[in-house]
Amino acid sequence: MSIPILSIRGVTKRFTLAQGLFRSPATLNAVNGIDLDIAEGEIVGIVGESGCGKSTLGRIVTGLMRLSEGAVRFRGQDITAIERRELARLVQPIFQDPYSSLNPRRSIAATVAEPLEIHGIGDRSERMDKAVAMLDRVGLPSRFASNVPSQLSGGQRQRVAIARALILNPQLIVCDEPTSALDVSVQSQILNLLMELRRDFRLTYLFISHNLAVVEHIADRVGVMYLGRMVEVAPSANLFAKPQHPYTRALLHSVLSPEPGAGVPDIGLKGGFPDPTNPPSGCVFHPRCPIAVHECAKRDPALMPANGGVAACHLIDPDFLEAPARVA
Ligand SMILES: Nc1ncnc2c1ncn2[C@@H]1O[C@H](COP(=O)(O)OP(=O)(O)O)[C@@H](O)[C@H]1O
Ligand code: SF4
Ligand SMILES: [Mg+2]
């Protein structure tokens, strides 16, 4: 790969949680040692149960949250060295709930034009012209321009958020559950729009979703997170056809029994999601893993090449399997 547009290296985000007067604070590694490169034009999906660290990773990449360890580079440059406004021009987020990020009293054209104003681009009428053209491009013709958000449907509001994210001509878009609040029929319209926009504006997406069907539809490559770690990354077709990590297999199985609106449904694993302030020893997945062996509680598996990507499980490591005493 030439220089990736985004390079995430050893990224860790620690939160310190107060536990009341008489207990010392707990540490939570919301994101734990993530490595990921994204090539220009790629759509990389990030999946995993609620609480596994997807949004935290997304916030770090957009510069909305500082990391505790590691580095994120945009075209080779550390994002902490990129001036805040410049980073906002290059990398834009799109969130699940556009309503909370739209000013209820502003017309949608003014909302879309606002980033141009903040960046001192054009005069007022030029900015409004650009905003109206961008709204048109995302499927909201000029008759909508003076509407306020409450006059729009959820899907239309997400189109406004997309227009606003694109108005500065960014290169990387971090989508965090962009269709999760929408009806299924509207979801596919928004996904198709995002794919068209990628092509037309030569965008790259980091696409976070708990919905595997959505990710399978849109992503070129998929990363699976568990308890702040990346446990598998592979080209989308490979991952869905032949998942390597037992957690990925459990997640894919969960698609067969979706519970509408309940995030990732019961994925048929023993035990619930572990306490992130007190993660299991060894492979953090071992208490829930249906194929765990003795050694899994002792040693943390590293990511290794698998299925055109990487996965972190002792049982795909030939060296581990050649030592049968460990599996006893
Ligand atoms: N600001 C915060 N302070 C403390 N803990 C947080 C904060 N943000 C997220 N967390 C915790 O970090 C973990 C990962 O959260 P998040 O990134 O939102 O996961 P996801 O998007 O996959 O649901 C969770 O355990 C969550 O409770
Ligand atoms: S290392 Fe062990 S516990 Fe972890 S996923 Fe592989 S088999 Fe399961
Ligand atoms: Mg989230």
Side-chain angles (χ1 to χ4, degrees):
M1 204 192 294
S2 52
I3 290 189
I5 186 166
L6 191 79
S7 167
I8 298 172
R9 280 291 170 278
V11 166
T12 295
K13 177 66 187 181
R14 259 188 301 278
F15 292 113
T16 302
L17 307 178
Q19 304 227 92
L21 270 182
F22 304 108
R23 290 174 65 195
S24 49
T27 303
L28 185 157
N29 284 324
V31 167
N32 198 337
I34 300 274
D35 292 331
L36 183 69
D37 281 347
I38 304 184
E40 180 136 34
E42 216 183 3
I43 302 185
V44 175
I46 302 288
V47 299
E49 283 162 287
S50 177
C52 71
K54 305 181 296 297
S55 294
T56 302
L57 183 66
R59 280 187 213 114
I60 288 170
V61 167
T62 43
L64 295 172
M65 187 181 266
R66 275 171 183 270
L67 44 71
S68 310
E69 275 172 43
V72 178
R73 292 189 189 85
F74 184 87
R75 295 194 189 285
Q77 190 181 9
D78 197 307
I79 59 166
T80 57
I82 303 175
E83 196 257 325
R84 223 183 126 81
R85 269 205 292 174
E86 175 63 4
L87 186 64
R89 202 182 59 72
L90 298 167
V91 183
Q92 276 285 318
I94 296 174
F95 297 110
Q96 172 172 351
D97 175 17
Y99 204 54
S100 59
S101 59
L102 301 178
N103 183 330
R105 283 179 294 278
R106 282 201 121 177
S107 76
I108 61 168
T111 293
V112 171
E114 192 177 48
L116 295 170
E117 196 181 327
I118 293 167
H119 286 253
I121 298 169
D123 61 26
R124 192 174 179 285
S125 81
E126 284 165 352
R127 291 195 291 262
M128 285 308 257
D129 288 350
K130 276 195 173 178
V132 171
M134 186 59 84
L135 281 166
D136 187 58
R137 178 63 196 81
V138 302
L140 290 171
S142 57
R143 64 191 153 85
F144 286 94
S146 57
N147 283 17
V148 291
S150 62
Q151 293 171 303
L152 303 180
S153 68
Q156 288 170 333
R157 287 200 286 260
Q158 195 56 295
R159 288 175 194 270
V160 176
I162 292 169
R164 187 181 152 100
L166 293 188
I167 196 81
L168 292 170
N169 229 342
Q171 299 177 19
L172 175 72
I173 307 285
V174 175
C175 303
D176 190 351
E177 307 276 5
T179 63
S180 301
L182 306 173
D183 294 341
V184 174
S185 61
V186 182
Q187 274 190 24
S188 54
Q189 290 167 16
I190 297 290
L191 287 178
N192 290 337
L193 173 66
L194 288 170
M195 298 219 286
E196 275 170 41
L197 295 168
R198 163 175 70 158
R199 190 192 55 218
D200 296 353
F201 292 90
R202 306 167 65 88
L203 297 168
T204 303
Y205 293 144
L206 181 65
F207 192 95
I208 295 166
S209 179
H210 71 274
N211 187 327
L212 293 155
V214 164
V215 171
E216 184 174 17
H217 181 67
I218 198 166
D220 303 310
R221 219 148 45 91
V222 179
V224 180
M225 284 181 71
Y226 185 77
L227 211 60
R229 294 144 198 257
M230 199 62 86
V231 296
E232 182 162 2
V233 185
S236 188
N238 300 15
L239 187 115
F240 284 92
K242 213 167 168 244
Q244 300 292 301
H245 195 282
Y247 179 65
T248 313
R249 286 201 285 274
L251 266 189
L252 297 202
H253 186 69
S254 76
V255 183
L256 303 173
S257 56
E259 254 172 56
V264 169
D266 175 3
I267 59 173
L269 294 170
K270 51 190 171 172
F273 198 70
D275 174 3
T277 63
N278 185 20
S281 60
C283 173
V284 290
F285 184 54
H286 87 263
R288 301 173 81 190
C289 182
I291 58 168
V293 294
H294 194 60
E295 188 83 357
C296 295
K298 297 187 190 154
R299 272 208 298 150
D300 190 8
L303 283 167
M304 63 190 72
N307 203 17
V310 289
C313 171
H314 293 312
L315 299 190
I316 59 167
D317 178 357
D319 292 341
F320 183 87
L321 293 173
E322 275 163 23
R326 291 193 175 128
V327 188

